Amino acid sequence: MTRTVLVTGGAGYVGSHCCKAFAEAGWKVVVYDNLSRGWREFVRWGELEQGDLLDSEALDRAFAKHKPDAVAHFAALAYVGESVEKPGMYYENNTLGTVRLLDAMAKAGCDKIIFSSTCATYGVPEKMPMTEDMSQNPINPYGMSKLFVEKVLDDYEVAHGIRSVKLRYFNAAGASPDGEVGERHEPETHLIPLCIEGVLNDTFKLTVFGDDFDTRDGTCVRDYIHVMDLADAHLKALDYLFDGGTSEAFNLGTGTGTTVMEIVHAVERVTGKPVPRSIGPRRAGDPPALVASADKAESILGWKPVQSDVDSVIETAYNWHLKEVERKKAAVS
Ligand code: UDP
C-alpha cells in the first residue's frame, strides 16, 4: 500500500530534495507550501497544495483531501540575521505555524512527524563534537523558534499521541547530483553558493567573516552535510516511526569540521578558478566551531553520510549553479 507524506516547505531547498528522495522510495508526496520563499518549479515529485501554516482551514482541507500517513515539516523562515531584526515574524511563522500544523494533525488523526530542527538550538556549544544530550541555549530568535517547536512536539505527544523525530541539521549544502534540483535562496547568504558566485561572477567578492577565531586557521569551523544525505536521513526517520520508534532528536552532520578558508580553497580546487575574497569582521552570533557527533543517528537510524566529502558537496553545488546561470540567461533573452 502506498503511503502518503505531507511535506510542508517542499518547494524549498532541503524540502524539495527530500520530496525527490521520498518519491523515489515509493512514497506519495503532497507539498504544502505558501511559496513565499520556495519555488514552484521545485515541486516536481507530488501535488502542490498552496497554503500557509497559519491558515488552519487550508491545513484542515489538505489533511481531509490527502489523508497523509505522516508529515515532514520543513516550512520555516531560516535567516539568523533577519530573525534578530524581526523576532515576531520568526516566532509566528516557525513556532505558531507549527502549533497550527500540529492541531490539524491531531484533528485528522495523523500521528507521525519529522521536524527540521537545527544545530542553532544549541547556541555556543559546551563541547565538541556536539551530542544530542547537550544543553540547548540558542543565541538568536531563529534557533529559539526551533527549540520551542521541539518542546511543543513533546507536549503534543502527551496530549495527542503524535510521535516526532527532530532532525538537527548542521550546514546543509550541495545539490542533487543529477541536476534536477538544487539550492536557490534570495538573498543568498550561505558560504558555498557565495564562493561559487565569486567564481562565476567577475563583480562579486566574498567577505570572510573573521579570521581571528581560535581555530586552526582563524576562520569558523562548520560541519557541511550533503543535502542528499539529509534526505536519506529523513527516509530512515520515517521508517523508524512506522516501525514504532519512540520520539527522538538526532544530529545530522558528518563529524568533520571544515574551516571557511578550507571551503574557499576546495571551491578553487574543484572549479579550477579563483575565489576573490577579502577578510571582514566577524558576523554577529557566529560560534567559532559547530561540529556534530552523528553517532546517535548511525546507531538508531542506521544512517551514515555517504556523499558529504567536501569536494562532492562543492561539485554538485557548482554544477547546479552553472545550470542556474543558463536559466537566468534564458529568462532575460
Ligand atoms: N561565511 C563567511 N562569509 C559569507 C557567508 C558565510 O565567512 O559571506 C561564514 C560564516 O561566518 C560561517 C560559515 O561561513 O562561519 C558558514 O556560514 P553559512 O551562512 O553558510 O551557514 P551558517 O553556519 O550560518 O548556518
Side-chain angles (χ1 to χ4, degrees), residues 97-138:
T98 307
V99 171
R100 297 272 183 274
L101 173 67
L102 288 166
D103 282 335
M105 288 178 68
K107 211 162 160 183
C110 180
D111 63 359
K112 297 172 195 69
I113 182 168
I114 313 293
F115 171 59
S116 303
S117 190
T118 164
C119 62
T121 59
Y122 293 111
V124 181
E126 65 211 18
K127 68 176 166 86
M128 209 69 64
M130 297 156 67
T131 51
E132 290 81 352
D133 54 2
M134 277 176 31
S135 58
Q136 290 172 287
N137 302 300

Side-chain angles (χ1 to χ4, degrees), residues 284-323:
D286 260 345
L290 296 170
V291 180
S293 159
D295 292 352
K296 184 176 171 187
E298 182 175 356
S299 66
I300 297 182
L301 297 179
W303 173 80
K304 236 177 134 67
V306 294
Q307 46 190 316
S308 291
D309 62 280
V310 167
D311 284 20
S312 301
V313 166
I314 291 171
E315 202 174 303
T316 57
Y318 183 53
N319 288 337
W320 167 256
H321 284 284
L322 287 173
K323 279 185 71 168

Side-chain angles (χ1 to χ4, degrees), residues 55 83 99 204 237 297:
D55 184 345
S83 81
V99 171
F204 181 81

Side-chain angles (χ1 to χ4, degrees), residues 28-155:
K28 182 175 177 230
V29 172
V30 177
V31 171
Y32 188 89
D33 199 302
N34 66 6
L35 298 183
S36 68
R37 305 229 165 150
W39 306 95
R40 186 178 286 275
E41 64 266 35
F42 283 12
V43 183
R44 300 178 54 177
W45 295 278
E47 193 177 327
L48 172 66
E49 291 291 346
Q50 192 171 342
D52 199 285
L53 283 179
L54 294 164
D55 184 345
S56 296
E57 284 174 13
L59 279 169
D60 288 344
R61 277 197 303 278
F63 276 91
K65 180 172 165 195
H66 298 285
K67 301 186 175 46
D69 301 285
V71 170
H73 178 32
F74 301 89
L77 303 175
Y79 290 115
V80 168
E82 183 183 57
S83 81
V84 175
E85 283 160 26
K86 300 176 182 168
M89 206 166 105
Y90 275 69
Y91 291 118
E92 184 170 45
N93 276 277
N94 295 1
T95 311
L96 184 57
T98 307
V99 171
R100 297 272 183 274
L101 173 67
L102 288 166
D103 282 335
M105 288 178 68
K107 211 162 160 183
C110 180
D111 63 359
K112 297 172 195 69
I113 182 168
I114 313 293
F115 171 59
S116 303
S117 190
T118 164
C119 62
T121 59
Y122 293 111
V124 181
E126 65 211 18
K127 68 176 166 86
M128 209 69 64
M130 297 156 67
T131 51
E132 290 81 352
D133 54 2
M134 277 176 31
S135 58
Q136 290 172 287
N137 302 300
I139 54 170
N140 53 61
Y142 166 65
M144 190 62 89
S145 72
K146 292 275 183 173
L147 178 58
F148 281 150
V149 172
E150 290 200 4
K151 306 290 183 200
V152 168
L153 284 167
D154 293 340
D155 292 341

Side-chain angles (χ1 to χ4, degrees), residues 12-13 16-17 20 42 44-45 175-176 178-183 320:
Y13 172 42
S16 58
H17 287 78
K20 176 174 161 64
F42 283 12
R44 300 178 54 177
W45 295 278
S176 177
D178 60 13
E180 284 196 298
V181 66
E183 182 169 18
W320 167 256

Side-chain angles (χ1 to χ4, degrees), residues 162-184:
I162 296 173
R163 280 178 297 128
S164 65
V165 169
K166 298 112 178 157
L167 296 176
R168 297 180 187 148
Y169 308 162
F170 280 64
N171 285 60
S176 177
D178 60 13
E180 284 196 298
V181 66
E183 182 169 18
R184 190 189 299 163

